[in-house]
């Protein structure tokens, strides 16, 4: 079902159950690129919120991302801090940033998943800077998962393993799943394995 999370900003809502907010990559307004993944996640008994956002806007898409987060939290039928946030590519970088800054923003997450996003030299849309330091989790225990395509030419295997080490060393409960995919097929041909990572958190 398509609706608006803000004036002129579209969002698809698929399925029922605990809420998963799913962010697409840097291409503006490309929520349809995650249609296969959204359906796979919904099949696990989740309510999936997939908004458009525009990384080419002057604020890099920050207002869109935070607006969609507000919509997902306010429309959830459970504690909003039990939300799962998953992002692909630049959306995954934004998701990782929110994991780090959640307490400062007065929010929480049950789980954060970054898909094909470990090339952290790109600017984070939330802060407008690069994620250079992984700070320890504060108060709430949020599990973090990275999903990497072994044929990805944008985020390398070395970067994925470094991200796993950095987040684990900082005290986060973190996993890395590697799949036979490139930067794009990871959310298409590998939608079901990625959905399983999103919906099956590790033991904290």
């Amino acid at each position: 079902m398509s609706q608006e999370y803000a004036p002129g900003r579209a969002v698809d809502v698929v399925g029922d159950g605990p809420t998963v907010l799913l962010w697409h990559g840097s291409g503006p307004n490309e929520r349809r690129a995650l249609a296969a993944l959204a359906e796979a996640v919904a099949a696990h008994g989740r309510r999936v919120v997939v908004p458009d956002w525009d990384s080419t806007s002057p604020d890099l898409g920050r207002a869109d991302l935070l607006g969609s987060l507000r919509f997902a939290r306010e429309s959830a039928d459970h504690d909003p801090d039990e939300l799962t946030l998953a992002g692909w590519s630049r959306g995954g970088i934004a998701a990782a940033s929110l994991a780090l800054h959640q307490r400062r923003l007065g929010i929480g997450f049950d789980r954060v998943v970054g898909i094909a996003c470990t090339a952290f030299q790109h600017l984070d849309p939330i802060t407008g800077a690069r994620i250079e330091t992984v700070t320890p989790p504060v108060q709430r225990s949020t599990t973090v998962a990275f999903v990497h395509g072994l044929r990805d030419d944008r985020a390398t295997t070395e970067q994925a393993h470094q991200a796993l080490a950095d987040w684990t060393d900082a005290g986060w409960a973190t996993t890395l799943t590697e799949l036979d995919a490139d930067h794009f097929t990871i959310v298409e041909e590998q939608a079901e394995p990625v959905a399983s990572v999103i919906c099956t958190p590790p033991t904290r």
Side-chain angles (χ1 to χ4, degrees):
M1 179 178 64
S2 295
Q3 52 191 287
E4 290 187 342
Y5 67 86
R9 309 306 293 140
V11 60
D12 291 336
V13 181
V14 183
D16 294 294
T19 298
V20 175
L21 175 60
L22 189 56
W23 284 340
H24 64 73
S26 60
N29 307 321
E30 289 191 340
R31 72 187 192 281
R32 302 296 189 190
L34 298 181
L37 181 56
E39 291 290 346
V41 173
H44 282 259
R46 301 294 193 274
R47 171 180 175 264
V48 191
V49 175
V50 193
D52 276 340
W53 67 282
D54 187 358
S55 68
T56 66
S57 63
D59 69 351
L60 304 179
R62 184 178 191 273
D64 287 344
L65 293 169
L66 294 182
S68 70
L69 174 61
R70 186 179 308 110
F71 171 86
R73 286 172 57 85
E74 291 177 352
S75 60
D77 62 359
H78 52 75
D79 180 346
D81 284 354
E82 293 177 358
L83 185 87
T84 292
L85 173 62
W88 169 53
S89 192
R90 193 68 61 87
I93 293 175
S97 176
L98 276 187
L100 296 173
H101 297 290
Q102 58 184 303
R103 287 297 98 186
R104 180 174 61 82
L105 296 173
I107 58 176
F109 297 101
D110 185 61
R111 184 155 175 76
V112 173
V113 181
I115 307 159
C117 75
T118 51
F120 287 125
Q121 72 267 23
H122 296 295
L123 294 181
D124 153 34
I126 300 298
T127 65
R130 294 177 177 84
I131 298 176
E132 296 180 342
T133 303
V134 181
T135 54
V138 178
Q139 297 180 24
R140 185 179 179 87
S141 177
T142 301
T143 63
V144 174
F146 294 110
V147 186
H148 173 68
L150 292 170
R151 293 183 281 109
D152 195 326
D153 61 358
R154 299 191 180 194
T156 67
T157 298
E158 291 74 16
Q159 289 169 327
H161 283 267
Q162 187 61 56
L164 174 65
D166 290 345
W167 286 72
T168 300
D169 290 348
W172 295 85
T174 313
T175 62
L176 170 64
T177 300
E178 295 177 298
L179 300 172
D180 182 17
D182 61 28
H183 196 73
F184 298 96
T185 59
I186 198 166
V187 293
E188 298 166 349
E189 297 170 11
Q190 297 289 351
E192 174 50 38
V194 174
S196 293
V197 173
I198 292 171
C199 299
T200 310
T203 302
R204 289 181 172 87

